[in-house]
């Protein structure tokens, strides 16, 4: 049995963890606080602890109002929500089924194919962007959301994460279901998927953050400003001269809110999912 930690040690651990959390949260806190300041206040306070202390202007939401007036940011956020939701939905089905196949099914050269998939993970995404764009262009999907959706569906990393999760589920559960006459498809969707909620939540968070923050690929594919994604819209703030950094911080705060909401909603499953994807044979 594990020894129970003494109260003083618990207090020390909590204090250390809080300090570490605050260190990692400093950039986020500074961004939010700066969104309520003008440029003079931001650069005056940046070298002191005042950078983390709000100095409210007469109209405290002026930066947020200006961002919404200058940019179609909310419309761009809706565009991003739309195509990202489609990607995540299809991606969860495709990658989880592929991961299940590598974890449970027997087929020729399974280990070799899986090794090749893992090897693909070490290839930098930037090296395949031009060939990828060439394929999308020939398919006629440039300047359309299909050009953003198709390349993002399958992912070697997510296949690996699903495989690791499914390996941790006892096979005896599936064997019992087969004895009751359940098909492989029914076993997967009605038995395996509910047991693997943590890894599904983990993949949702990872993929949403990656796609929400993606800038290079949308810029290559989308040329119509009416279809621009959230990061494309946000980058427009730097094209408005002179650059208003209070507006920039307000824009960054707005686009960070959905990520925080998603993470806070799924953090319990996220932690469990990460903890359950250790090394399994």
């Amino acid at each position: 049995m594990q020894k129970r930690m003494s109260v003083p040690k618990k207090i020390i651990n909590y204090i250390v963890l809080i300090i570490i959390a605050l260190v990692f949260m400093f950039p986020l806190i500074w961004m939010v606080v700066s969104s309520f300041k003008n440029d003079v206040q931001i650069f005056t306070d940046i070298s002191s602890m005042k950078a983390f202390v709000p100095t409210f202007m007469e109209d405290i939401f002026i930066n947020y109002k200006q961002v919404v007036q200058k940019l179609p940011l909310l419309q761009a956020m809706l565009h991003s929500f739309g195509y990202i939701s489609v990607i995540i939905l299809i991606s969860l089905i495709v990658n989880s089924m592929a991961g299940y196949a590598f974890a449970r099914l027997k087929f020729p050269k399974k280990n070799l194919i899986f090794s090749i998939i893992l090897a693909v993970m070490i290839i930098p995404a930037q090296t395949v962007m031009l060939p990828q764009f060439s394929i999308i262009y020939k398919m006629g999907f440039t300047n359309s959301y299909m050009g953003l959706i198709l390349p993002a569906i399958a992912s070697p990393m997510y296949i690996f994460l699903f495989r690791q999760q499914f390996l941790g589920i006892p096979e005896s559960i599936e064997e019992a279901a087969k004895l009751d006459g359940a098909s492989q498809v029914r076993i997967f969707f009605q038995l395996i998927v509910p047991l693997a909620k943590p890894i599904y939540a983990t993949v949702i968070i990872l993929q949403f953050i990656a796609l929400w923050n993606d800038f290079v690929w949308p810029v290559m594919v989308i040329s119509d400003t009416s279809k621009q994604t959230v990061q494309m819209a946000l980058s427009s703030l730097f094209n408005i001269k002179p650059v208003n950094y209070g507006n920039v911080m307000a824009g960054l705060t707005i686009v960070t809110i959905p990520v925080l909401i998603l993470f806070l909603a799924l953090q319990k499953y996220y932690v469990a999912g990460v903890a359950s994807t250790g090394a399994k044979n």
Side-chain angles (χ1 to χ4, degrees), residues 4-76:
R4 294 187 64 181
M5 190 180 297
S6 62
V7 174
K9 285 186 177 180
K10 279 186 178 181
I11 294 173
I12 293 172
N13 283 344
Y14 280 123
I15 292 173
V16 171
L17 290 173
I18 290 171
I19 293 172
I20 294 173
L22 288 174
V23 169
F24 281 97
M25 288 179 64
F26 273 164
L28 182 64
I29 296 171
W30 177 73
M31 176 187 72
V32 175
V33 170
S34 298
S35 70
F36 295 103
K37 299 179 179 181
N38 56 39
D39 283 8
V40 174
Q41 293 170 332
I42 291 174
F43 289 106
T44 301
D45 299 342
I46 198 169
S47 59
S48 66
M49 288 303 295
K50 289 182 179 179
F52 302 101
V53 179
T55 305
F56 297 118
M57 296 175 286
E58 185 176 343
D59 186 351
I60 62 174
F61 294 109
I62 185 64
N63 286 323
Y64 291 90
K65 292 177 182 178
Q66 289 177 351
V67 167
V68 174
Q69 291 170 357
K70 291 178 180 178
L71 302 177
L73 188 59
L74 299 181
Q75 182 183 7

Side-chain angles (χ1 to χ4, degrees), residues 74-84 145 226-229:
L74 299 181
Q75 182 183 7
M77 290 175 69
L78 289 176
H79 292 164
S80 292
F81 272 124
Y83 87 84
I84 289 174
Y145 293 124
S226 65
K227 298 179 181 179
Q228 62 184 351
T229 64

Side-chain angles (χ1 to χ4, degrees), residues 16-278:
V16 171
L17 290 173
I18 290 171
I19 293 172
I20 294 173
L22 288 174
V23 169
F24 281 97
M25 288 179 64
F26 273 164
L28 182 64
I29 296 171
W30 177 73
M31 176 187 72
V32 175
V33 170
S34 298
S35 70
F36 295 103
K37 299 179 179 181
N38 56 39
D39 283 8
V40 174
Q41 293 170 332
I42 291 174
F43 289 106
T44 301
D45 299 342
I46 198 169
S47 59
S48 66
M49 288 303 295
K50 289 182 179 179
F52 302 101
V53 179
T55 305
F56 297 118
M57 296 175 286
E58 185 176 343
D59 186 351
I60 62 174
F61 294 109
I62 185 64
N63 286 323
Y64 291 90
K65 292 177 182 178
Q66 289 177 351
V67 167
V68 174
Q69 291 170 357
K70 291 178 180 178
L71 302 177
L73 188 59
L74 299 181
Q75 182 183 7
M77 290 175 69
L78 289 176
H79 292 164
S80 292
F81 272 124
Y83 87 84
I84 289 174
S85 299
V86 174
I87 291 175
I88 290 177
L89 178 62
I90 301 175
S91 175
L92 288 177
I93 297 172
V94 171
N95 292 308
S96 64
M97 293 181 75
Y100 181 76
F102 284 114
R104 288 288 191 265
L105 304 185
K106 296 179 180 179
F107 52 90
K109 307 294 182 182
K110 182 177 79 170
N111 292 334
L112 175 61
I113 296 172
F114 185 68
S115 298
I116 293 172
I117 290 175
L118 290 183
V120 172
M121 292 173 63
I122 68 174
I123 301 175
Q126 292 79 4
T127 61
V128 297
M129 275 190 175
L130 287 178
Q132 201 173 57
F133 178 78
S134 178
I135 295 171
I136 292 297
Y137 177 79
K138 291 177 180 178
M139 294 176 68
F141 291 146
T142 53
N143 201 29
S144 72
Y145 293 124
M146 284 299 293
L148 299 176
I149 293 171
L150 287 179
I153 291 175
S155 168
M157 183 179 73
Y158 301 147
I159 292 173
F160 170 76
L161 291 177
F162 277 116
R163 174 185 178 273
Q164 297 302 99
Q165 176 72 30
F166 295 147
L167 285 175
I169 298 175
E171 292 187 49
S172 57
I173 297 176
E174 299 171 59
E175 291 171 358
K178 288 179 182 178
L179 291 175
D180 290 337
S183 65
Q184 195 73 57
V185 175
R186 185 177 178 184
I187 289 173
F188 177 75
F189 284 104
Q190 294 188 1
L191 184 62
I192 301 300
V193 171
L195 292 174
K197 285 181 181 178
I199 197 60
Y200 280 92
T202 301
V203 171
I204 288 172
I205 291 173
L206 293 176
Q207 192 162 38
F208 182 86
I209 292 174
L211 295 170
W212 188 257
N213 293 331
D214 193 14
F215 174 72
V216 177
W217 181 248
V219 167
M220 292 177 66
V221 175
I222 303 295
S223 57
D224 189 347
T225 54
S226 65
K227 298 179 181 179
Q228 62 184 351
T229 64
V230 62
Q231 296 301 327
M232 293 172 66
L234 196 59
S235 67
S236 301
L237 286 173
F238 293 96
N239 297 328
I240 303 173
K241 304 299 180 181
V243 177
N244 187 317
Y245 289 95
N247 287 182
V248 171
M249 296 303 168
L252 290 171
T253 301
I254 291 172
V255 302
T256 303
I257 291 173
V259 178
L260 291 176
I261 292 174
L262 180 67
F263 182 79
L264 292 174
L266 300 178
Q267 64 172 332
K268 178 178 70 174
Y269 297 108
Y270 176 78
V271 173
V274 172
S276 64
T277 53

